[in-house]
Amino acid sequence: MAESPKSVAFWRSFPIFEEFTPVLIDEVRALAQQRKWPAGAVIFQRGDPGDYMILVASGRIKLSLITPQGRELTLRHMEDGGLLGEMAVIDGEPRSADATAAVATDGYVIAKADFAAFLAKNPSAMQAVMRFLCRRLRETNEQLETLALYDLDSRVARFFLLSMRQVHGDDPPEEAVLKIGLSQSEIASVVGASRPKINRAILSLEEKGAIERKGSAILLRTRKLRAVAEPDED
């Protein structure tokens, strides 16, 4: 992240804290402890106690599940500004997925007990966290809808639009160059397809002018991506 960990902007880059006042940010900063995980490190596993949440400052953490057949199902990748483990901290339930450092990762952890005490004495922070959790639930519902209702080109287009929103908010520019940071195999796990099919979908989006590969980055064109993501909308 470009912002200093001492700045309010750094902490507001984590969506759970984006509505916090500077005073609340100061309290959160005092609770956070810095952590580093090498590439491949297992951070926690499904069923572990959910006694802390993680804020990703740099790097990437993969959330996944192992199916009864032994296949790994990738749920999502958390990069700079990502947050994980917040549900377990709030509801007290065990971890619902495995978390692994996909690359060397730096971040912060906030203990469940400390965060609960902070929320108890700051009702405005509690309300902001509840609004964040509602947004996260809507995003999950949208992801499930995407897998169930849309063809692969639409699913990949929606994946790219979601990536744009994570950087630029709900009103992204008409064009944006993003470094996605995921391989085609990893994107395939997220949208529920094989790597060869993802490659064909990306080629299809290029032919439609919705994206343009630029080395390790991709130029995304919002209007054309939306046309593919929602083919039945005028």
Side-chain angles (χ1 to χ4, degrees):
M1 286 184 175
E3 297 287 347
S4 166
K6 295 181 180 180
S7 71
V8 170
F10 173 84
W11 294 97
R12 283 183 176 162
S13 68
F14 300 102
I16 195 171
F17 304 138
E18 64 185 5
E19 297 181 22
F20 281 21
T21 65
V23 172
L24 292 176
I25 292 293
D26 283 342
E27 292 192 42
V28 166
R29 185 189 297 116
L31 300 178
Q33 299 181 22
Q34 190 170 17
R35 291 286 189 273
K36 294 180 182 292
W37 298 276
V42 177
I43 300 171
F44 57 72
Q45 294 181 300
R46 185 178 187 181
D48 286 351
D51 48 10
Y52 61 90
M53 65 179 173
I54 297 173
L55 314 171
V56 182
S58 65
R60 176 158 48 91
I61 294 176
K62 177 180 67 176
L63 290 175
S64 61
L65 293 173
I66 302 298
T67 69
Q69 295 75 31
R71 176 174 174 264
E72 183 181 48
L73 174 64
T74 300
L75 302 177
R76 63 194 306 172
H77 289 258
M78 309 304 295
E79 298 184 293
D80 301 11
L83 172 72
L84 61 154
E86 75 283 2
M87 295 298 296
V89 165
I90 298 297
D91 65 15
E93 294 296 318
R95 303 295 189 190
S96 58
D98 300 339
T100 306
V103 298
T105 301
D106 293 347
Y108 293 83
V109 300
I110 297 179
K112 172 184 174 180
D114 292 341
F115 197 59
F118 163 77
L119 294 178
K121 71 175 184 177
N122 291 292
S124 63
M126 173 68 83
Q127 292 171 5
V129 169
M130 292 302 103
R131 286 191 290 271
F132 160 77
L133 292 175
C134 288
R135 292 195 299 272
R136 178 62 63 83
L137 178 60
R138 285 196 293 270
E139 290 174 1
T140 300
N141 289 341
E142 181 179 344
Q143 185 179 32
L144 291 174
E145 178 187 51
T146 295
L147 289 174
L149 300 180
Y150 292 88
D151 64 24
L152 187 55
D153 282 11
S154 296
R155 280 148 55 189
V156 175
R158 289 166 73 88
F159 167 81
F160 285 133
L161 287 169
L162 176 60
S163 298
M164 290 183 73
R165 288 203 301 271
Q166 289 175 342
V167 175
H168 297 285
D170 291 333
D171 188 23
E174 179 55 35
E175 292 188 352
V177 176
L178 295 181
K179 187 172 183 179
I180 301 299
L182 301 179
S183 68
Q184 288 188 8
S185 295
E186 290 167 330
I187 295 174
S189 295
V190 172
V191 302
S194 66
R195 184 187 177 284
K197 289 182 178 179
I198 289 297
N199 185 52
R200 288 196 293 272
I202 288 175
L203 289 173
S204 176
L205 292 178
E206 286 185 297
E207 291 171 357
K208 294 171 182 175
I211 67 172
E212 181 181 340
R213 281 182 277 196
K214 293 181 173 292
S216 61
I218 300 180
L219 172 65
L220 306 178
R221 297 186 174 95
T222 303
R223 181 178 57 81
K224 291 185 177 181
L225 279 171
R226 284 175 174 161
V228 178
E230 302 288 351
D232 294 329
E233 291 190 1
D234 295 329

